[in-house]
Amino acid sequence: MDLNYTPEQQAFRAEIREWLADNVPEKPLLTLEGEEGFHQHVEWERKLASGNWGMVTWPKQYGGRGLDLIQWLIFEEEYWAAGAPLRANQNGIFLLGPTVMEYGTDEQKARFLTPMANGEVMWAQAWSEPDAGSDMAAITTKAVRDGDHYVITGQKTWSSRASFADWGFGLFRTEEGSKRHKGLSFILFDLNSPGITRRPIRQLHGEPGFAELFFDEVRVPAENMLAGQGEGWNVAMATAGFERGLMLRSPGRFQATAKRLADLYRANEENTSPATREAVTQAWMGTQAYAYNTYSVAAKILAGGKIGAEASLNKIFWSELDRSMNRSAMQLMGAAAELAKFADGSVNQWLDGYIFSLSGPIYAGSNEIQRNIIAERFLGLPRQGAG
Amino acid sequence: MEFLLSDDQLTLAEGVKDYLAGTHGPEVLRRLDEGSNRDPTIWQGLVEMGLPALLVPEDQDGLGLKLLDAALIAAECGRSCLAEPLVDTAFVAVPWLTAKGDIADLAPIVSGEKIVPLAHKINGWVADGDGASLQSVDPLRNLTVAPADATDDPHLLNLGALMSAAQLVGIADAMLEQAVEYAKVRKQFGQPIGAFQAVKHHLATATVALEFAKPVVWRAAQAMDDGIDSAPVHVSHAKLAAGDAALQMAETAIQVHGAMGYTYEVDLHFWMKRSWALIGAWGNRAFHMKRVDGGVIGGSLDIGPAHTFA
């Protein structure tokens, strides 16, 4: 255990801090969930890439800096401390990217990772279907092999970023008559392919942050399949592991929220209760616990370990912590909490934050599913219906 | 920067865990409970393992290890619901006496002849002392009335709070294991109750709180080892996180055990009562919350993403 940064790590922190101070937009961007805001965020991705900060942990040959996970955590800390925008390409860089790194061929890595790190291609996920939500193995959208293509027919939904993104990835049933986890394949597809219809869905806040996707005999080149035909479930589980486990929600983002919450408390101290005061202190404690745990997991991975069912513990912890912090902020704001915009025209970021935090316990595998995973794989309890 | 327990640390803690699992099971707790609560042969076994010497400086014939090493072993003491006053004497008194320069008592501690009852103002009682006896809810704790001249030394308080937090995560681990084992074998409606989601989700929720309390405790131990200014805030954070997780685990474990959990016959009660005792000891929730509050809201601590290890 050594909780001191090396001189090299400190120098790296100073370097990213300086770049962010020079480059982070002074005014907050419009919301990532709307069309104009999405394009502003894509511009920011390209700005990041221009400084070679797109995805610092990736190898240099794919547009990264070849840095380790501790440097990634330092990057993320400075990123959120600087108030930098949300990552428009988070589905790509945090979820698909690590999966391509593990399962992709050299050709696929070169074709998909570099444009991802450079902010040239924005990615949407396409897991859920109308009848396959928490029960993802119930997927029915089929991809039928036809020469050197697959022909996709069916429907995906709750597809984050699909209203505006360029490419998508998801699971498709490639073996007719196959059941559950078998016969599924992981396929990447151009969202502008003929036969794809996007129907944006307005989210709780009114913006089209996700979409339904209709596939009508969409032809996708066979070389867009990750790993082998029928191996999709395992590949998707790896993606879910990255998402829940380490990369999607780095601690810095929540630590920034806890700090803003303490500031908000001090500004509203007369209108509060002891319970809210304790909740503000709890916010710092929760975000710090999450940060220590993330540093610990990163150290274990650097020492050759892997993330397993612990990823589900993480997902429950950060999603419920985020909701709790934003709820406390709403309570602190009192009558002003309902204002979508303040009198000076600025956006009520806490209201946005609270609304967004309500999705956390639902997406990336609902917290009920995570609790089942913890109970069965971490604690070893029997599956439901077991005699 | 490496937030990682070393192989040496884990091996040492594993050794103590195995020793206690083999020599200090629930049947021993019941025997002690029916007798006088203490057993010189158990104490002698701990002395022969060298545990009282763990934190004694090497130039005083000790092992010269760190608070983090001791915290990992304190957690194992919690896991086995150890009744002997090892943690108080070896992991709280020794570093306190050493810091004060009172090295005369270290040799008899190393040899196992001396235990050190700790009288701190914040507690109002002394464990394993020689005053008039008080009855704890924990049948294996020997409490006595505190003397009027009890100290209010903050360093002693921080050591006591840190080691209580460490024991609490071990106690919670043990309660979780007992509840999980019970849920696997107890059948109702034709299946193990652990197959029902209501039971699973209770246990999963308590597990999340426990797993996120552990790194906070290790961080606090390291903060004391490093002697950083903010160490008291980290100790308080650890005491709160471990205490809250242990209390949640105790309430979850009794619920999972059903009516069996409400008996003296099921082992769970020993650990549950130890957790209640340690949650209030060495600064209650309000005391520690106030110290963290002073850092976070009072502004004495740098907070935010760039200050993870402030």
Side-chain angles (χ1 to χ4, degrees):
Chain A
M1 183 85 79
D2 177 1
L3 302 186
N4 298 294
Y5 295 101
T6 64
E8 291 75 22
Q9 287 167 338
Q10 288 170 3
F12 174 68
R13 185 185 288 281
E15 183 189 355
I16 175 63
R17 185 176 291 186
E18 187 182 339
W19 189 88
L20 289 164
D22 291 341
N23 289 281
V24 169
E26 282 179 22
K27 273 177 44 182
L29 306 184
L30 295 173
T31 172
L32 170 61
E33 315 290 357
E35 184 163 15
E36 195 183 344
F38 181 82
H39 291 297
Q40 288 180 350
H41 282 77
V42 172
E43 282 312 304
W44 167 249
E45 288 290 325
R46 289 175 186 159
K47 170 80 89 169
L48 271 174
S50 74
N52 197 20
W53 298 109
M55 198 55 210
V56 295
T57 55
W58 290 3
K60 288 180 183 163
Q61 65 182 121
Y62 302 127
R65 287 174 176 247
L67 303 184
D68 67 28
L69 286 174
I70 303 302
Q71 289 164 307
W72 173 70
L73 282 165
I74 293 170
F75 170 81
E76 288 282 313
E77 287 174 348
E78 291 300 322
Y79 188 90
W80 297 107
L86 295 170
R87 300 298 300 267
N89 214 10
Q90 53 184 271
N91 286 297
I93 55 179
F94 296 141
L95 306 188
L96 178 61
T99 314
V100 172
M101 205 74 76
E102 186 162 337
Y103 293 96
T105 61
D106 287 345
E107 182 273 332
Q108 287 173 323
K109 289 179 190 173
R111 187 152 59 101
F112 295 118
L113 294 178
T114 308
M116 215 185 280
N118 291 344
E120 289 160 20
V121 176
M122 296 295 127
W123 288 83
Q125 56 83 4
W127 302 122
S128 294
E129 297 182 1
D131 293 320
S134 284
D135 184 9
M136 201 166 81
I139 281 170
T140 58
T141 298
K142 61 183 182 183
V144 179
R145 183 81 187 219
D146 177 23
D148 53 5
H149 282 70
Y150 284 92
V151 181
I152 301 180
T153 302
Q155 182 184 350
K156 294 283 179 181
T157 192
W158 319 132
S159 190
S160 299
R161 310 278 170 267
S163 299
F164 315 115
D166 306 302
W167 276 67
F169 60 91
L171 280 186
F172 299 89
R173 199 160 287 285
T174 42
E175 282 166 44
E176 199 169 353
S178 63
K179 291 262 183 327
R180 306 294 300 160
H181 314 86
K182 292 174 183 158
L184 297 171
S185 298
F186 195 110
I187 297 174
L188 286 57
F189 54 93
D190 186 339
L191 276 163
N192 292 314
S193 306
I196 292 183
T197 306
R198 316 185 199 193
R199 187 184 78 81
I201 302 171
R202 290 180 76 191
Q203 295 180 319
L204 190 58
H205 43 60
E207 301 287 351
F210 45 40
E212 269 182 303
L213 294 174
F214 300 92
F215 298 81
D216 182 13
E217 299 193 351
V218 176
R219 294 182 68 81
V220 175
E223 64 258 28
N224 288 7
M225 180 180 286
L226 212 52
Q229 181 172 311
E231 294 172 12
W233 183 262
N234 288 339
V235 180
M237 287 303 103
T239 302
F242 294 121
E243 176 171 2
R244 294 190 299 250
L246 195 64
M247 299 225 101
L248 182 64
R249 292 289 175 257
S250 74
R253 176 169 171 171
F254 303 116
Q255 289 169 298
T257 304
K259 185 179 194 309
R260 285 198 298 130
L261 185 61
D263 291 339
L264 182 72
Y265 179 87
R266 285 188 284 258
N268 290 273
E269 197 155 6
E270 285 110 55
N271 303 318
T272 187
S273 71
T276 305
R277 184 173 184 121
E278 183 168 319
V280 174
T281 303
Q282 286 278 12
W284 177 80
M285 291 195 282
T287 56
Q288 287 294 109
Y290 185 62
Y292 303 152
N293 191 64
T294 305
Y295 269 89
S296 160
V297 170
K300 279 180 200 155
I301 291 174
L302 284 170
K306 287 238 172 214
I307 311 181
E310 297 90 339
S312 294
L313 297 165
N314 264 11
K315 201 265 165 167
I316 290 174
F317 192 83
W318 66 250
S319 60
E320 297 181 4
L321 173 64
D322 194 40
R323 183 173 60 185
S324 159
M325 291 196 291
N326 283 284
R327 183 200 305 128
S328 297
M330 294 293 280
Q331 289 167 343
L332 273 166
M333 292 176 76
E338 73 164 295
L339 298 175
K341 285 185 179 172
F342 300 119
D344 66 1
S346 65
V347 171
N348 182 350
Q349 304 277 358
W350 284 114
L351 178 60
D352 276 5
Y354 179 60
I355 288 175
F356 181 66
S357 77
L358 295 175
S359 69
I362 300 170
Y363 69 79
S366 76
N367 286 14
E368 287 74 15
I369 295 295
Q370 307 301 346
R371 284 183 163 86
N372 288 347
I373 293 172
I374 291 166
E376 290 167 15
R377 296 186 209 159
F378 193 75
L379 301 179
L381 288 168
R383 293 179 67 86
Q384 197 156 19
Chain B
M1 172 59 59
E2 191 179 45
F3 199 115
L4 192 67
L5 300 168
S6 71
D7 286 344
D8 284 352
Q9 286 168 325
L10 294 171
T11 303
L12 180 61
E14 196 72 24
V16 175
K17 178 183 179 178
D18 291 345
Y19 174 77
L20 290 171
T23 59
H24 201 272
E27 69 291 344
V28 173
L29 301 181
R30 292 195 178 278
R31 174 167 64 73
L32 293 172
D33 187 21
E34 280 160 25
S36 61
N37 282 359
R38 297 290 175 267
D39 179 348
T41 62
I42 295 174
W43 181 254
Q44 196 50 40
L46 301 170
V47 172
E48 280 163 19
M49 286 193 82
L51 293 175
L54 199 80
L55 295 182
V56 173
E58 284 175 287
D59 59 14
Q60 301 293 322
D61 298 323
L63 297 170
L65 295 185
K66 301 285 192 181
L67 291 172
L68 178 57
D69 305 293
L72 291 166
I73 294 171
E76 296 309 330
C77 297
R79 188 193 304 278
S80 68
C81 210
L82 182 70
E84 303 296 321
L86 177 73
V87 174
D88 275 3
T89 289
F91 304 158
V92 180
V94 165
W96 180 54
L97 294 171
T98 305
K100 288 200 302 170
D102 290 353
I103 53 173
D105 283 336
L106 297 180
I109 291 174
V110 171
S111 66
E113 293 155 58
K114 186 174 177 66
I115 65 153
V116 184
L118 295 163
H120 194 284
K121 274 202 166 59
I122 201 153
N123 287 331
W125 41 250
V126 176
D128 292 275
D130 47 16
S133 81
L134 292 167
Q135 191 179 344
S136 168
V137 63
D138 178 346
L140 299 181
R141 259 164 89 79
N142 292 346
L143 296 188
T144 57
V145 176
D149 62 348
T151 178
D152 62 356
D153 187 330
H155 186 52
L156 176 59
L157 189 151
N158 285 328
L159 289 164
L162 172 67
M163 291 303 162
S164 298
Q167 288 176 86
L168 281 162
V169 295
I171 292 167
D173 260 338
M175 293 191 290
L176 174 62
E177 192 181 335
Q178 289 165 42
V180 165
E181 289 311 307
Y182 186 77
K184 283 182 190 170
V185 297
R186 170 64 178 167
K187 286 190 178 178
Q188 286 288 272
F189 304 101
Q191 55 181 315
I193 60 168
F196 293 111
Q197 285 197 343
V199 173
K200 281 180 177 164
H201 288 196
H202 278 316
L203 288 166
T205 299
T207 300
V208 171
L210 173 58
E211 290 303 315
F212 280 88
K214 288 175 186 173
V216 178
V217 178
W218 315 144
R219 191 268 180 280
Q222 186 66 36
M224 285 198 78
D225 278 331
D226 290 345
I228 62 175
D229 292 344
S230 57
V233 172
H234 298 301
V235 168
S236 286
H237 183 190
K239 183 81 195 313
L240 288 164
D244 286 356
L247 188 60
Q248 183 177 10
M249 190 64 79
E251 291 178 357
T252 302
I254 187 174
Q255 186 68 24
V256 168
H257 278 82
M260 290 299 288
Y262 197 70
T263 68
Y264 212 90
E265 291 164 23
V266 164
D267 299 330
L268 175 68
H269 80 99
F270 287 110
W271 281 265
M272 198 159 57
K273 290 166 181 170
R274 182 68 51 80
S275 76
W276 298 342
L278 293 179
I279 285 168
W282 299 105
N284 66 7
R285 205 170 177 283
F287 174 87
H288 290 292
M289 189 62 78
K290 212 168 191 171
R291 292 211 308 186
V292 180
D293 174 297
V296 174
I297 294 176
S300 67
L301 192 71
D302 285 329
I303 65 170
H307 301 288
T308 299
F309 294 101

